[in-house]
Amino acid sequence: MTTVAVLGTGIMGLPMARNLRAAGLAVRAWNRTADKARPLADDGATVCDSPAEAVSGADFVVTMLADGPAAHEVVSSVADSVPAGAVWIQMGTVGLEWTSRLGALAEEHGLSFVDAPVLGTRQPAEQGKLVVLGSGPDDLREKCRPVFEAVGARTIWVGEAGAATKLKLVSNAWVLALTNATAESIGLAETLGVDPALFLDAISGGALDVPYAHLKGGAMIKGEYPLAFPAKHAAKDARLVLDAAGGGVDLGAVRAALAHLEAAVSAGHADEDMATIYYGLR
Ligand SMILES: NC(=O)c1ccc[n+]([C@@H]2O[C@H](COP(=O)([O-])OP(=O)(O)OC[C@H]3O[C@@H](n4cnc5c(N)ncnc54)[C@H](OP(=O)(O)O)[C@@H]3O)[C@@H](O)[C@H]2O)c1
């Protein structure tokens, strides 16, 4: 049976591990805060006390950790224990520079490396409907298919490692701008004494409409923020987007999103959903 080590069972990693198990793959899961991995035992996964234990006998090592430094720290600590021939599928959002550093780490230890960040949040992760953006050596595309199909509705394979991260950053620039724009229109409505629900009604069903405005805008209006993507990770992603853009293009909307996210994080919303960007406008 194909064995997948899942390192990091947070908001995304936990349901991804569950879906790998549901697809009939053997799963060995580890999380720094052990309690978050324990529920996977009920799904038939092996819950491990250390990353070294998790990677033992693995055909694939999936990292779904917060950021590049976390992925580097964890994989460095076990790189020599990963079985020969195993493939490291890096699925967290780490940006361009860290993707390249993680690729170098893999090479140093003779590991195959696939850069495969995902689009979609908690609910698509639970439903196995993420969009996997894959890149790496072409011969690994087919090999990784069972993993990608277990967690995603589709895979877009875009070439050499790093290419998928570029596409992820481009997509995240869109998500960040959209969330910020939603917060700004709602904030403006409130400032002008307009019922913000009327704004959502006004765009509803037309060319200006987008489901995300209703999802995140609805949360802002209600003041209820079911956690899908923490504000601290959204701020991290905005920084990764801006770093990648360098001086090549002016991303004013992403800069605005970052400023509002940083204000929301400073106001205590770091671990709440990114829709709390709304508080950053105040
Ligand atoms: N949520 C989303 O909508 C979404 C969508 C697409 C991509 N992503 C990306 O997916 C990744 C995971 O996000 P998430 O939403 O699942 O976040 P999360 O729930 O905060 O999970 C982060 C994971 O990283 C671990 N971690 C952090 N620092 C660590 C360290 N130094 N050493 C070991 N483990 C460490 C955490 O362990 P502890 O539990 O011990 O803190 C946890 O397992 C991030 O890169 C995020 O940007 C998220």
Side-chain angles (χ1 to χ4, degrees):
M1 193 192 265
T2 300
T3 298
V4 186
V6 178
L7 307 180
T9 60
I11 295 167
M12 299 295 284
L14 181 92
M16 288 165 71
R18 211 165 248 155
N19 286 324
L20 287 163
R21 208 34 229 120
L25 306 176
V27 170
R28 300 177 66 78
W30 170 81
N31 196 66
R32 180 180 63 178
T33 306
D35 279 353
K36 291 192 199 167
R38 284 209 181 97
L40 287 166
D42 294 340
D43 299 279
T46 304
V47 177
C48 300
D49 291 330
S50 69
E53 189 189 332
V55 301
S56 155
D59 301 291
F60 295 96
V61 176
V62 167
T63 44
M64 199 55 185
L65 297 159
D67 53 22
H72 196 277
E73 185 188 324
V74 171
V75 174
S76 301
S77 73
V78 297
D80 291 329
S81 314
V82 176
V87 180
W88 173 13
I89 309 181
Q90 201 310 105
M91 304 190 86
T93 309
V94 303
L96 271 185
E97 193 191 324
W98 277 101
T99 296
S100 141
R101 287 171 77 165
L102 298 177
L105 174 68
E107 199 174 335
E108 215 177 287
H109 293 274
L111 301 176
S112 299
F113 180 73
V114 172
D115 162 39
V118 296
L119 298 187
T121 185
R122 185 202 284 265
Q123 198 185 29
E126 287 170 355
Q127 296 168 339
K129 290 191 173 160
L130 296 168
V131 176
V132 178
L133 311 177
S135 62
D138 255 342
D139 58 316
L140 296 182
R141 177 182 185 169
E142 197 50 35
K143 192 168 179 181
C144 293
R145 186 202 286 266
V147 173
F148 293 162
E149 287 187 349
V151 301
R154 65 190 179 111
T155 300
I156 304 177
W157 187 265
V158 282
E160 298 200 347
T165 280
K166 287 182 183 169
L167 180 55
K168 170 69 180 167
L169 295 172
V170 168
S171 308
N172 273 16
W174 171 243
V175 173
L176 289 157
L178 204 51
T179 311
N180 186 63
T182 303
E184 288 192 6
S185 283
I186 286 173
L188 178 62
E190 288 169 346
T191 301
L192 300 180
V194 173
D195 178 354
L198 285 176
F199 153 61
L200 293 179
D201 189 28
I203 61 169
S204 195
L208 294 177
D209 203 4
V210 45
Y212 208 71
H214 297 272
L215 184 70
K216 297 300 180 189
M220 293 169 199
I221 291 169
K222 277 196 221 139
E224 288 169 16
Y225 298 94
L227 180 60
F229 185 39
K232 65 183 178 190
H233 292 337
K236 176 242 334 167
D237 284 2
R239 287 184 207 103
L240 294 176
V241 168
L242 293 169
D243 285 351
V249 58
D250 178 34
L251 302 182
V254 178
R255 277 190 279 110
L258 177 57
H260 290 147
L261 282 163
E262 282 178 339
V265 165
S266 300
H269 302 290
D271 294 313
E272 294 174 42
D273 190 70
M274 76 182 297
T276 56
I277 191 173
Y278 165 79
Y279 295 120
L281 274 64
R282 297 292 171 188

